[in-house]
């Protein structure tokens, strides 16, 4: 075991003390044990906040098995602490693709009833490695890319069990993707490079929720931001937010930093490398390491070397040097510490409650992609208010009546 168990315990305790929404769910789980005796396999980024979720699920009665959502996102100290706690955790920072795949396969071999996925790798395996759904009652999905994959399975009639799309819950994407991503992507870039953003031209590829959060934060610290998009509505949205919008071929020559947040492959590819300025930083914050093609970068380079942890220098054929962060993997988790704790409190409370929903209501659910039930979204929002020190007004009876009246205005 490479990690330090005591350091892991401290990291988990810090996260736990800032996760009151999941904490109150856990307190109820301890009383009610809604997952008693259930086998649960989760492929998630194994770091402190995830450990708080895993412990809450165990407190609910589940037999929890955990593997990494990405070979570089694991915190080995947290793994050591979870293993000492008796939670089967199969993850190591920097693990090979073979180790990663073996861990996901092992999680399926436990014959889970419940799955929590981040990127859909475990659900995909459950559809390819077996002839039927086994005991699986259903799964929940954390991230945009995973939801795309689930929808593709559903559209071809292949989805074998209900899957809850946690990503698109209001209490997830409005906060996790935008505010969590906005902060944690910067955290990763800062930690990897220690370089200044102010006065630099930053290209954000993709203006979804994460891209929006990132673009506004880069601007907030003095970056000049250019957005690239394929969606006309989002492109217009970015323009009216005050960002320049350009095709990548025109944005690339101006860039000091390019961050991809698209979910698409080869967003920065061979055709762009020769256009880049000397010193340009390249980072990816989309789920898979396909957005900036490292393979293509290697092919286009005369040499490459690691110049700092998480920073590889590529010398291109034209003599210019460009720098790829975290091998093109999720920079916010590989070089940074993932989304801020308070944000993951909301996302993981949704995960815990959606998993409970599956355990309790699977018999009424079809093999479809489901939204998080609105009452769960609402419950998390209500619990988040005191956690964030927010008090709000409530409608009076007269106002409630007015709101549902066709005679509004009188
Ligand atoms: N920490 C744990 N899971 C995460 C995720 N999906 N995104 C960012 N930080 C995380």
């Amino acid at each position: 075991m490479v990690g330090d168990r005591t350091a892991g315990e401290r990291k988990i305790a810090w996260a736990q003390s800032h996760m009151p929404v999941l904490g109150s769910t856990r307190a109820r789980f301890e009383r009610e044990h809604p997952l008693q005796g259930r086998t649960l396999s989760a492929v998630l980024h194994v770091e402190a906040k995830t450990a708080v979720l895993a412990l809450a699920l165990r407190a609910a009665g589940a037999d929890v098995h955990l593997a990494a959502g990405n070979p570089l996102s694991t915190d080995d100290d947290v793994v050591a602490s979870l293993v000492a706690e008796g939670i089967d955790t199969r993850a190591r920072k920097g693990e090979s693709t073979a180790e990663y795949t073996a861990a996901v396969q092992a999680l399926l071999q436990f014959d889970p009833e419940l799955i929590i996925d981040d990127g859909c790798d475990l659900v995909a395996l459950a559809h390819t490695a077996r002839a039927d759904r086994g005991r699986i009652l259903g799964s929940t999905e954390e991230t945009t890319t995973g939801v795309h994959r689930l929808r593709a399975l559903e559209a071809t009639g292949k989805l074998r069990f209900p899957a809850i799309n946690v990503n698109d819950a209001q209490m997830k994407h409005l906060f996790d993707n935008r505010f969590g991503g906005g902060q944690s992507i910067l955290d990763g870039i800062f930690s990897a490079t220690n370089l200044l953003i102010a006065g630099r031209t930053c290209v954000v590829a993709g203006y979804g929720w994460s891209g929006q959060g990132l673009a506004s934060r880069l601007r907030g610290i003095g970056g000049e931001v250019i957005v690239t998009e394929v969606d006309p509505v989002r492109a217009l949205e970015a323009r009216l937010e005050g960002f320049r919008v350009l095709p990548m071929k025109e944005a690339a020559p101006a860039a000091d930093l390019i961050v991809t947040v698209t979910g698409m492959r080869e967003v920065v590819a061979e055709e762009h490398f020769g256009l880049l300025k000397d010193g340009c930083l390249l980072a990816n914050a989309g789920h898979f390491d396909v957005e900036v093609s490292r393979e293509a970068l290697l092919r286009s380079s005369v040499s490459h070397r690691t110049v700092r942890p998480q920073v590889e220098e590529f010398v291109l054929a034209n003599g210019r040097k460009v720098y790829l962060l975290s091998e093109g993997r999720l920079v916010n988790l590989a070089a940074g510490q993932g989304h801020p704790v308070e944000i993951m409190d909301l996302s993981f409370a949704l995960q815990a409650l959606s998993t409970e929903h599956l355990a309790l209501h699977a018999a009424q659910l079809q093999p479809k992609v489901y939204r998080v039930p609105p009452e769960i979204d609402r419950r998390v929002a209500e619990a988040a208010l005191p956690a964030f020190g927010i008090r709000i007004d409530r409608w009076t009876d007269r106002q409630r009546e007015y709101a549902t009246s066709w005679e509004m205005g009188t």
Side-chain angles (χ1 to χ4, degrees):
M1 186 71 50
V2 283
D4 173 341
R5 169 189 166 178
T6 313
E9 278 164 10
R10 280 197 219 110
K11 290 178 189 178
I12 296 169
W14 173 262
Q16 194 150 22
S17 67
H18 293 85
M19 297 177 82
V21 181
L22 183 57
S24 63
T25 305
R26 174 180 169 152
R28 181 173 63 74
F29 280 1
E30 277 166 357
R31 294 191 301 275
E32 299 176 5
H33 299 118
L35 306 181
Q36 190 59 48
R38 299 289 194 193
T39 303
L40 186 155
S41 289
V43 173
L44 292 167
H45 300 293
V46 182
E47 49 101 345
K49 285 92 81 180
T50 310
V52 179
L53 172 64
L55 293 166
L57 296 166
R58 203 224 346 234
D63 174 21
V64 179
H65 304 271
L66 190 58
N70 183 298
L72 285 187
S73 63
T74 299
D75 184 326
D76 291 327
D77 296 340
V78 168
V79 174
S81 171
L82 280 173
V83 169
E85 273 283 340
I87 294 203
D88 173 40
T89 309
R90 292 150 190 265
R92 182 179 67 81
K93 189 169 180 88
E95 67 194 11
S96 65
T97 309
E99 280 174 282
Y100 171 82
T101 309
V104 178
Q105 277 165 350
L107 257 59
L108 189 61
Q109 274 152 20
F110 284 108
D111 204 9
E113 293 159 281
L114 296 162
I115 287 177
I116 302 182
D117 227 350
D118 187 326
C120 195
D121 277 353
L122 182 52
V123 167
L125 189 70
H127 285 76
T128 52
R130 297 207 310 209
D132 57 31
R133 71 191 264 184
R135 295 193 299 166
I136 299 169
L137 298 172
S139 69
T140 63
E141 172 54 53
E142 174 75 6
T143 201
T144 314
T145 296
V147 171
H148 285 162
R149 297 177 79 190
L150 283 174
R151 288 209 190 288
L153 273 172
E154 185 187 40
T156 50
K158 291 187 182 144
L159 187 63
R160 291 184 176 154
F161 41 79
I164 300 189
N165 166 4
V166 171
N167 181 66
D168 289 327
Q170 284 198 301
M171 290 303 290
K172 163 71 168 63
H173 71 269
L174 290 176
F175 304 101
D176 178 303
N177 303 32
R178 190 156 40 142
F179 298 100
Q183 181 168 322
S184 67
I185 297 167
L186 288 190
D187 174 26
I189 294 169
F190 292 160
S191 303
T193 67
N194 196 213
L195 293 177
L196 185 70
I197 295 292
R200 294 267 159 81
T201 301
C202 306
V203 174
V204 175
Y207 200 66
W209 293 109
S210 303
Q212 289 171 33
L214 176 63
S216 75
R217 271 143 197 78
L218 284 168
R219 176 162 66 186
I221 53 170
E224 183 194 351
V225 178
I226 301 174
V227 168
T228 70
E229 248 305 338
V230 291
D231 180 306
V233 177
R234 285 183 175 167
L236 187 60
E237 210 180 352
R239 184 68 196 121
L240 298 199
E241 247 337 300
F243 299 113
R244 285 174 74 197
V245 181
L246 289 173
M248 183 57 86
K249 274 195 180 150
E250 290 173 41
D256 298 301
L257 164 70
I258 303 180
V259 190
T260 53
V261 226
T262 66
M264 186 39 67
R265 63 190 299 170
E266 292 139 21
V267 176
V268 185
E270 233 142 350
E271 55 183 341
H272 304 116
F273 297 141
L275 304 172
L276 298 174
K277 285 202 294 203
D278 191 47
C280 182
L281 304 172
L282 301 171
N284 168 50
H287 185 78
F288 287 115
D289 58 340
V290 294
E291 305 205 12
V292 182
S293 170
R294 186 171 177 278
E295 285 299 304
L297 202 44
L298 278 171
R299 279 199 302 276
S300 307
S301 304
V302 292
S303 67
H304 98 284
R305 60 184 181 133
T306 298
V307 290
R308 281 169 63 89
Q310 308 288 336
V311 184
E312 280 174 289
E313 178 187 82
F314 292 79
V315 182
L316 300 171
N318 62 15
R320 293 184 197 151
K321 293 172 182 163
V322 299
Y323 297 91
L324 179 66
L325 309 190
S326 303
E327 300 171 19
R329 295 190 189 275
L330 279 166
V331 71
N332 57 332
L333 280 142
Q337 300 178 66
H339 291 352
V341 182
E342 298 93 325
I343 293 291
M344 292 314 294
D345 186 24
L346 307 178
S347 303
F348 282 165
L350 289 170
Q351 282 287 4
L353 293 169
S354 299
T355 301
E356 178 188 32
H357 181 80
L358 278 176
L360 298 180
H361 303 291
Q364 291 99 57
L365 301 175
Q366 307 301 313
K368 289 194 334 200
V369 180
Y370 284 90
R371 294 187 51 190
V372 168
E375 60 277 12
I376 291 184
D377 230 352
R378 174 98 192 171
R379 215 192 302 169
V380 172
E382 294 281 0
L385 290 183
F388 282 83
I390 299 167
R391 288 174 300 118
I392 58 173
D393 290 323
R394 309 272 170 196
W395 277 343
T396 61
D397 289 344
R398 254 170 75 76
Q399 287 173 322
R400 203 180 314 282
E401 215 176 283
Y402 182 78
T404 54
S405 159
W406 62 271
E407 291 171 305
M408 277 188 153
T410 59

